[in-house]
Amino acid sequence: MNVYETDPEFVERVNYFISEEVKKEPGQELDDATRYLAVLAALVGCQGA
């Protein structure tokens, strides 16, 4: 099942949320290295890496 084909509107909203709302929230910006470490830590913590 390809979510891009079955629900393109959902994919569009999730991508906007991730790339705009979360990443660019005023006062909450992280430098690239810190953001990558946070993502890696979350993936390792949930055994998703």
Side-chain angles (χ1 to χ4, degrees):
M1 182 171 79
N2 185 348
V3 73
Y4 293 98
E5 293 175 9
T6 58
D7 200 349
E9 293 168 349
F10 174 74
V11 173
E12 179 184 349
R13 290 179 183 167
V14 168
N15 285 337
Y16 178 81
F17 177 73
I18 292 169
S19 65
E20 298 296 323
E21 290 187 28
V22 172
K23 189 175 177 180
K24 298 177 182 176
E25 184 175 344
Q28 302 299 319
E29 298 91 354
L30 298 174
D31 59 278
D32 287 341
T34 304
R35 186 172 64 253
Y36 293 138
L37 284 174
V39 169
L40 180 60
L43 289 171
V44 169
C46 72
Q47 298 179 356

